[in-house]
Amino acid sequence: MQHHVLFNLFAIFGVATAVIVICKFLKIRYIIGYLITGVLLSPNTSRYFADMEEVDVYAEIGIILLLFTVGLEFSFSNLKRIKNYVLIGGASQVFFTIVLTASLIWVLMRPSLEESIFWGFLYALSSTAIVVKVMQDTNKITTPHGKFILAILLFQDIMIVPLMLFTPILAGAGETSTAEALLWLLGKLILMGGIAYLLARFIIPFFLKTVMKIQSQEVFLIATVFIVTGVALLTEKLGLSLALGAFIAGLIIAETEYNRMAISCFLPFRYVFMSFFFISMGMLLDYQIFMTDFGWIVFWFFFALIVKAIAGILAVKVMKLDWKTALAVGFSIAQIGEFSFVLAQSGLEYELISKNNYQIFLAVSILLMSVTPFIVAKAEKIQPTFAKLTRTKGHV
């Protein structure tokens, strides 16, 4: 009998435990410990993991559970309050990031216009997994900048679909026109919205009420997993992301009287599977890129940080919010997103990005993910710090 799955779990959790204990001793956040674990277990570092498919599956489950619990804690009523943030703020952030990134890269590096725009696509997405996790840990989801950040991240998760559709078009391999792709996406979103309304209004409340007649937490947990996986798979069948489906499932259950029970049931599972996501991100990286292209990694690190922060700040100012919120939002989303890795692999396939640039992109992304917990935790203090520095210079 084969036990390779158990051996893999044994290695992952063993190395992760040792690394996180060391990180805790050094006062380094455990998310960074997961990334370090991934680098240590990477096929480029050791030969233990030649195939990462199982880890990728666990990582995807982690993202699904994270977005589901975010939906549980947010609900449709809360989402309605920030619909302008999602539609206007989210769209502005993605637009500004793509335009700024593509323009600057085209001027500085002189690649083709298609490659420049593709780099804009990669930079447009931020890390839902890390940002939301840190905001949950620090109780900042309900703050003014927390709501705006969540709205932007939600819009980005929706945008991964059209960006994936545009990638082959940029490479000259698209079979449909841009207008047809957009209409098709709009139709899918409208259809999913209608299905979500029916599920939330009639089907899922009745289903959960029937299940709870048994008065068993175990049966409730199984029924909830059935709902989450069902809605997530439905969105995937429609060409949307699994994570978006999980978020919708969370919103639906949040409108029922069983939302608190669902949160208490899923919290332990979410933390276990989320670790696999961060570990899998580290496993993609070839550490030797730091020795061969360290200068470029540093350059693109600060380039991404500054450009994404500016784009986020501009998006907040479009909504005419204060500078404290703008700076907190801009710097909190100034990292590369997990869905950007999926997009980058598509760019590799269509030769919009070279293998070496792909590794540089991974290195920069992981470095940005590593500093994100510190930035998000201190985001509200950025504007007061700038104000204090300005006053100090004025007195000199």
Side-chain angles (χ1 to χ4, degrees):
M1 182 177 179
Q2 295 293 324
H3 298 291
H4 67 279
V5 175
L6 289 177
F7 280 120
N8 289 348
L9 292 175
F10 172 78
I12 290 171
F13 285 125
V15 175
T17 301
V19 171
I20 292 169
V21 167
I22 296 172
C23 288
K24 186 69 175 179
F25 179 76
L26 298 174
K27 296 182 179 180
I28 299 173
R29 287 186 175 267
Y30 64 87
I31 289 176
I32 300 174
Y34 290 141
L35 292 169
I36 294 171
T37 301
V39 174
L40 294 175
L41 293 175
S42 169
N44 300 305
T45 306
S46 67
R47 296 188 179 276
Y48 188 87
F49 282 98
D51 188 355
M52 285 177 41
E53 287 186 6
E54 290 171 12
V55 179
D56 289 340
V57 171
Y58 299 144
E60 193 160 32
I61 293 173
I63 296 174
I64 289 171
L65 290 179
L66 174 70
L67 268 294
F68 171 65
T69 53
V70 170
L72 277 176
E73 295 173 356
F74 213 65
S75 78
F76 276 116
S77 56
N78 286 331
L79 188 60
K80 288 177 183 177
R81 297 192 193 109
I82 63 164
K83 63 178 184 291
N84 288 336
Y85 286 0
V86 175
L87 297 176
I88 301 174
S92 299
Q93 185 273 332
V94 170
F95 173 78
F96 287 138
T97 306
I98 292 175
V99 170
L100 284 173
T101 303
S103 300
L104 289 172
I105 287 180
W106 189 79
V107 170
L108 294 172
M109 310 303 295
R110 290 293 177 178
S112 66
L113 180 60
E114 291 78 11
E115 289 179 58
S116 301
I117 295 173
F118 180 72
W119 279 106
F121 287 2
L122 293 180
Y123 280 35
L125 306 175
S126 303
S127 177
T128 301
I130 294 179
V131 174
V132 170
K133 179 67 176 66
V134 176
M135 287 199 302
Q136 285 179 327
D137 289 345
T138 53
N139 298 316
K140 292 183 178 180
I141 285 283
T142 57
T143 61
H145 74 273
K147 292 177 181 178
F148 203 105
I149 289 169
L150 189 58
I152 287 176
L153 295 174
L154 176 59
F155 187 84
Q156 289 177 0
D157 286 344
I158 296 172
M159 281 301 296
I160 183 61
V161 180
L163 294 181
M164 287 291 290
L165 290 172
F166 281 127
T167 297
I169 296 174
L170 277 179
E175 296 180 1
T176 59
S177 67
T178 302
E180 289 175 342
L182 283 173
L183 287 173
W184 186 238
L185 172 64
L186 182 61
K188 289 177 181 178
L189 291 173
I190 292 173
L191 176 60
M192 190 61 221
I195 294 172
Y197 175 79
L198 292 175
L199 289 172
R201 187 74 176 83
F202 304 106
I203 301 172
I204 288 180
F206 174 78
F207 175 71
L208 289 178
K209 188 175 181 179
T210 303
V211 167
M212 286 308 296
K213 288 180 180 179
I214 303 174
Q215 295 185 341
S216 169
Q217 188 173 0
E218 290 82 1
V219 176
F220 173 79
L221 177 61
I222 293 170
T224 307
V225 171
F226 168 72
I227 293 171
V228 176
T229 53
V231 178
L233 289 171
L234 178 60
T235 56
E236 186 186 41
K237 287 293 182 182
L238 290 174
L240 305 171
S241 70
L242 286 167
L244 178 63
F247 181 79
I248 292 172
L251 291 175
I252 293 171
I253 295 177
E255 296 298 320
T256 70
E257 57 186 296
Y258 310 110
N259 60 330
R260 290 297 161 196
M261 184 182 294
I263 291 173
S264 63
C265 286
F266 275 88
L267 276 178
F269 296 100
R270 182 188 67 181
Y271 292 132
V272 171
F273 283 106
M274 275 306 300
S275 66
F276 283 104
F277 167 74
F278 296 114
I279 291 170
S280 68
M281 292 299 99
M283 291 177 73
L284 292 171
L285 179 68
D286 183 355
Y287 70 93
Q288 295 182 21
I289 198 69
F290 285 99
M291 293 179 253
T292 59
D293 292 272
F294 182 74
W296 283 115
I297 291 172
V298 172
F299 171 79
W300 290 116
F301 172 87
F302 285 105
F303 178 91
L305 181 68
I306 294 169
V307 168
K308 293 212 66 176
I310 292 172
I313 291 168
L314 289 174
V316 178
K317 296 310 290 182
V318 166
M319 300 298 296
K320 299 181 180 179
L321 299 182
D322 59 89
W323 277 103
K324 181 178 180 180
T325 301
L327 288 166
V329 171
F331 283 95
S332 293
I333 61 171
Q335 75 287 132
I336 307 299
E338 47 272 3
F339 290 121
S340 293
F341 292 96
V342 180
L343 200 58
Q345 290 172 344
S346 180
L348 266 179
E349 179 185 348
Y350 291 108
E351 298 181 351
L352 288 170
I353 181 174
S354 67
K355 290 183 179 180
N356 190 69
N357 285 340
Y358 174 72
Q359 282 297 323
I360 293 175
F361 169 75
L362 287 179
V364 170
S365 300
I366 289 175
L367 287 176
L368 285 169
M369 285 180 170
S370 299
V371 301
T372 293
F374 301 102
I375 295 174
V376 175
K378 305 293 183 182
E380 291 170 295
K381 298 179 180 179
I382 295 174
Q383 190 272 338
T385 302
F386 279 156
K388 187 183 293 185
L389 290 172
T390 304
R391 285 196 298 269
T392 302
K393 289 180 179 180
H395 289 303
V396 174

